[in-house]
Amino acid sequence: MLTLAQRIQTPPLKCQGIKTKLLPFIAASIDWDYAGTWIEPFGGSGVVALNIAPPRVRYSDANPHIVNLYAGIRDGRVTPESVRVHLEREGAQLLEIGESHYYAIRSRFNASHDAHDFIFLNRSCFNGLMRFNRSGGFNVPFCRKPERFRPAYVTRIVNQVAAMAMAMQRSSWEILCLDWRECVATAVAGDLVYMDPPYIGRHADYYTQWDESEAQALAAWARSAPCGFACSMWAKTQYRTNTHLEEDWSWARTVTTEHFFHLGSYEKLRGGVTEALLLPA
């Protein structure tokens, strides 16, 4: 069983499928002694590594903007102070000008890829979605809340950046933008690979596409993995069942829990879901 801090830390980014509320379930289900490296080929928000707090982390994600932000926090280019200044300034402009300022920041980000603008967009876009078009441009519309960046909300985000920076100072974080195969290629006995791949059937335009062939390849890798692993996967909703579990992961040990999925562009994409954690048999 993994160890969690008494107070769960929330990362500075919102991502579809974030595992914050599932952390106790994940930690209680994984048997690992912290001796090796914690490897995440689908790092996303980083919430699991943030709260598991292993001494060595190999974090990777296909989205270069998340990687740029988290590398900036680790390296001191993005600090709690710089985030506060940025959000207070741009939030005041948003309140004064309205949604056109959001779209101006979105255009600026798509040209410059500034990490501070990325946080602004992530926290003021529609329903906290993270979505990109085929050209790699952030394309989520405004949340229509020009008063979004009230002082308490800015402070909350600043504290989340500070918590992430502190976690990275306590541990050794390698932060990469790799295909999942490249990320897990270094795994050896004693490591733990935690996988939270995109959900098959949820067309989220997160940054790269995830199709059935990729999902099958991941399952095949896990079956012969040189180290421990755990893979988060949705099992079923009120609308459908994930047949991928039976077709490609029937050899694994599966534990499940009930969860509520909060993020989604349509209401039918939000609601109760049975979450599975796939483990070595």
Side-chain angles (χ1 to χ4, degrees), residues 5-42:
Q6 289 185 343
R7 183 174 179 274
I8 298 295
Q9 298 287 348
T10 303
L13 279 182
K14 287 186 175 182
C15 293
Q16 292 93 306
I18 190 169
K19 296 298 184 288
T20 308
K21 293 187 177 181
L22 289 169
L23 281 168
F25 164 70
I26 293 170
S29 302
I30 296 176
D31 183 19
W32 185 55
D33 62 6
Y34 289 80
T37 299
W38 178 272
I39 301 174
E40 289 200 40
F42 308 95

Side-chain angles (χ1 to χ4, degrees), residues 177-191:
C177 186
L178 297 174
D179 175 83
W180 68 267
R181 293 172 179 81
E182 295 178 88
C183 180
V184 302
T186 62
V188 296
D191 293 342

Side-chain angles (χ1 to χ4, degrees), residues 102 121 124-130 140-143 264-266 270:
Y102 170 86
L121 293 172
S124 56
C125 68
F126 174 70
N127 203 40
L129 290 173
M130 192 177 296
V140 185
F142 181 48
C143 69
S265 53
Y266 302 100
R270 304 190 293 267

Side-chain angles (χ1 to χ4, degrees), residues 15 40-49 59-62 66 70 194 196 206:
C15 293
E40 289 200 40
F42 308 95
S45 72
V47 69
V48 180
Y59 168 101
S60 180
D61 198 271
I66 298 179
Y70 282 174
Y194 172 70
D196 185 17
Y206 171 70

Side-chain angles (χ1 to χ4, degrees), residues 157-256:
I157 299 168
V158 167
N159 289 342
Q160 291 164 354
V161 172
M164 182 64 80
M166 187 174 297
M168 291 175 174
Q169 290 166 9
R170 288 195 302 261
S171 306
S172 173
W173 278 61
E174 184 181 18
I175 301 176
L176 305 162
C177 186
L178 297 174
D179 175 83
W180 68 267
R181 293 172 179 81
E182 295 178 88
C183 180
V184 302
T186 62
V188 296
D191 293 342
L192 194 291
V193 177
Y194 172 70
M195 301 170 283
D196 185 17
Y199 289 0
I200 300 173
R202 285 192 183 275
H203 182 70
D205 296 326
Y206 171 70
Y207 197 79
T208 56
Q209 295 301 311
W210 184 256
D211 59 23
E212 190 171 348
S213 64
E214 285 290 280
Q216 291 170 342
L218 182 67
W221 177 85
R223 191 166 191 172
S224 59
C227 59
F229 72 85
C231 183
S232 287
M233 189 85 62
W234 72 279
K236 63 180 179 179
T237 69
Q238 59 180 312
Y239 301 104
R240 61 185 187 272
T241 297
N242 186 358
T243 59
H244 173 56
L245 268 68
E246 179 61 31
E247 293 168 354
D248 299 300
W249 289 90
S250 60
W251 53 269
R253 179 167 63 92
T254 303
V255 291
T256 61

